[in-house]
Amino acid sequence: MAEREKPEERVTMEGAVCPVPLPHSERIVLGHGSGGKLMHDLIARSFLPPLDNPVLRAGNDAGVVLPTPDTQLAISTDSHVVWPLFFPGGDIGRLAICGTVNDLAAMGATPRYLTAGFILEEGLELEVLERVVASMQAAAEEAGVEVVAGDTKVVQRGKADGLYINTAGVGTQTPGMAINGAQAQPGDAVILTGTIGDHGIAVLSARGELGIQAQIESDVAPLNHMVAAMLEASEQIHVLRDPTRGGLASTLNEIAKQSQVGIVVQEDAIPVAAAVQSACELLGFDPLYVANEGKMVVIVAPQDANKVLEALRADRYGEGAVLIGEVVEEPKGRVLMKTVIGSHRVLDVLSGELLPRIC
């Protein structure tokens, strides 16, 4: 192996020599799990080259495969490391089921079967585990899916923060269906199904580290029935995506890059609960980058926007749905926000981690 080049050195005023910071860390940092630029760079560098194939390369919430000419399957997997395990509005068990169900639903698939793998820490109370599993069962029942396989591993005390869960899911699609991040078209309407930032701030408040006392509940929910109602109302839905890690802004950037279009959203159209807005202002966060676990971005042909909004508002998880913007030709791969004063602000992808361990 060739010897690594030494970083350029610079001299301080005192004459001491120190290295110029390298642009990329050679070790994993929290930001690599953020849903932002660091995570995408890690995937492009370390995962895609050795594992590359057309399904994985598409970069969607689930991979779509055709095992037979008459069968189209969506397959997804997710790992859940949220801390604390229980938070207002949910827990790691409900999160595990809903996260995978929603990834399948975002491909227009009907979720069918899940697997669950548990990493348990030595010393975890059985009562805690049983509460988590009961919550998973309730969420699976609500979504109409079954957990059909599982695995359990135990690690030493202090190695897993109590409990981690990995889930995988399989859903069925109508053959030929093409709802994914590369399908947005200029002129399409951009719809958001409700307020943003609820989940991330709810988890942060449950940690009790920053003195947040706001009454905010996570929005974690299975959205597959809501998506099914939308698909019944319109055959012109082009993109569905749940804005989890990295929040709404990162999700819109992913879609813009996949479809090679621009997206323009209206600042005053994006709903944020007053308590979430106040908490973000206190902490210096932008709610556009805070995670959600029960919301969906919907990109649909403009002539069907009202039909989709009507279908969404008839569902309890979509009753706050609003039109927030449109897809445009330029700038390709970029997202702009029209502010309340009429100017335009670029919504970029965060480089690192805003709120770690929230899903």
Side-chain angles (χ1 to χ4, degrees), residues 12-205:
T12 67
M13 292 180 64
E14 291 79 12
V17 177
C18 61
V20 173
L22 292 173
H24 298 290
S25 170
E26 293 300 313
R27 297 179 185 271
I28 295 297
V29 297
L30 278 174
H32 283 121
S34 66
K37 187 176 185 303
L38 278 178
M39 188 189 79
H40 289 287
D41 288 348
L42 178 67
I43 292 170
R45 169 182 171 170
S46 300
F47 294 111
L48 274 181
L51 302 176
D52 187 38
N53 61 71
V55 177
L56 192 63
R57 196 184 313 133
N60 292 306
D61 283 346
V64 176
V65 296
L66 289 162
T68 73
D70 300 323
T71 306
Q72 188 162 301
L73 298 179
I75 302 173
S76 185
T77 187
D78 206 351
S79 297
H80 309 274
V81 297
V82 65
W83 183 84
L85 300 178
F86 301 91
F87 46 85
D91 57 79
I92 193 172
R94 180 171 175 82
L95 183 66
I97 297 294
C98 295
T100 300
V101 163
N102 293 345
D103 282 347
L104 296 172
M107 301 299 294
T110 300
R112 302 290 187 186
Y113 304 106
L114 271 62
T115 68
F118 297 84
I119 308 298
L120 308 176
E121 182 184 348
E122 178 187 18
L124 178 70
E125 296 178 359
L126 283 176
E127 184 270 336
V128 170
L129 176 61
E130 288 163 2
R131 282 178 62 194
V132 168
V133 175
S135 181
M136 294 178 72
Q137 188 276 332
E141 185 175 294
E142 181 182 354
V145 299
E146 294 180 296
V147 177
V148 296
D151 181 57
T152 302
K153 295 292 187 294
V154 178
V155 297
Q156 296 97 328
R157 190 182 299 268
K159 301 294 184 181
D161 287 341
L163 168 65
Y164 300 149
I165 303 175
N166 173 269
T167 47
V170 177
T172 54
Q173 274 187 324
T174 302
M177 175 178 282
I179 295 177
N180 59 64
Q183 301 302 314
Q185 302 172 21
D188 282 351
V190 181
I191 292 171
L192 179 64
T193 61
T195 56
I196 59 171
D198 300 23
H199 174 73
I201 299 302
V203 172
L204 186 62
S205 68

Side-chain angles (χ1 to χ4, degrees), residues 65-358:
V65 296
L66 289 162
T68 73
D70 300 323
T71 306
Q72 188 162 301
L73 298 179
I75 302 173
S76 185
T77 187
D78 206 351
S79 297
H80 309 274
V81 297
V82 65
W83 183 84
L85 300 178
F86 301 91
F87 46 85
D91 57 79
I92 193 172
R94 180 171 175 82
L95 183 66
I97 297 294
C98 295
T100 300
V101 163
N102 293 345
D103 282 347
L104 296 172
M107 301 299 294
T110 300
R112 302 290 187 186
Y113 304 106
L114 271 62
T115 68
F118 297 84
I119 308 298
L120 308 176
E121 182 184 348
E122 178 187 18
L124 178 70
E125 296 178 359
L126 283 176
E127 184 270 336
V128 170
L129 176 61
E130 288 163 2
R131 282 178 62 194
V132 168
V133 175
S135 181
M136 294 178 72
Q137 188 276 332
E141 185 175 294
E142 181 182 354
V145 299
E146 294 180 296
V147 177
V148 296
D151 181 57
T152 302
K153 295 292 187 294
V154 178
V155 297
Q156 296 97 328
R157 190 182 299 268
K159 301 294 184 181
D161 287 341
L163 168 65
Y164 300 149
I165 303 175
N166 173 269
T167 47
V170 177
T172 54
Q173 274 187 324
T174 302
M177 175 178 282
I179 295 177
N180 59 64
Q183 301 302 314
Q185 302 172 21
D188 282 351
V190 181
I191 292 171
L192 179 64
T193 61
T195 56
I196 59 171
D198 300 23
H199 174 73
I201 299 302
V203 172
L204 186 62
S205 68
R207 292 177 183 169
E209 295 176 346
L210 298 176
I212 298 176
Q213 305 259 330
Q215 298 299 310
I216 302 168
E217 289 197 352
S218 170
D219 58 353
V220 57
L223 303 179
N224 53 313
H225 300 310
M226 182 186 75
V227 169
M230 277 194 290
L231 295 175
E232 185 72 24
S234 172
E235 295 181 353
Q236 298 298 317
I237 295 173
H238 298 150
V239 183
L240 295 169
R241 188 67 60 88
D242 55 333
T244 53
R245 287 177 299 173
L248 176 64
S250 296
T251 295
L252 293 175
N253 271 278
E254 290 173 2
I255 296 168
K257 286 180 173 61
Q258 283 182 269
S259 296
Q260 278 302 288
V261 295
I263 296 176
V264 178
V265 295
Q266 303 288 328
E267 182 179 25
D268 56 1
I270 299 172
V272 183
V276 171
Q277 184 67 52
S278 296
C280 286
E281 290 175 357
L282 177 67
L283 299 170
F285 294 158
D286 187 335
L288 290 166
Y289 294 93
V290 178
N292 314 273
E293 290 292 344
K295 300 299 187 299
M296 195 74 73
V297 173
V298 183
I299 296 183
V300 59
Q303 65 269 23
D304 278 11
N306 287 334
K307 288 195 293 186
V308 168
L309 282 168
E310 184 178 349
L312 285 169
R313 290 166 180 167
D315 187 280
R316 62 173 171 153
Y317 294 131
E319 59 187 11
V322 290
L323 179 68
I324 64 168
E326 65 175 334
V327 179
V328 295
E329 289 270 5
E330 302 286 347
K332 296 187 187 302
R334 302 301 299 270
V335 180
L336 302 177
M337 184 169 72
K338 188 173 182 181
T339 69
V340 292
I341 62 172
S343 62
H344 284 83
R345 164 191 165 196
V346 175
L347 292 186
D348 211 340
V349 179
L350 285 182
S351 175
E353 186 70 280
L354 180 64
L355 293 173
R357 305 287 304 279
I358 43 76

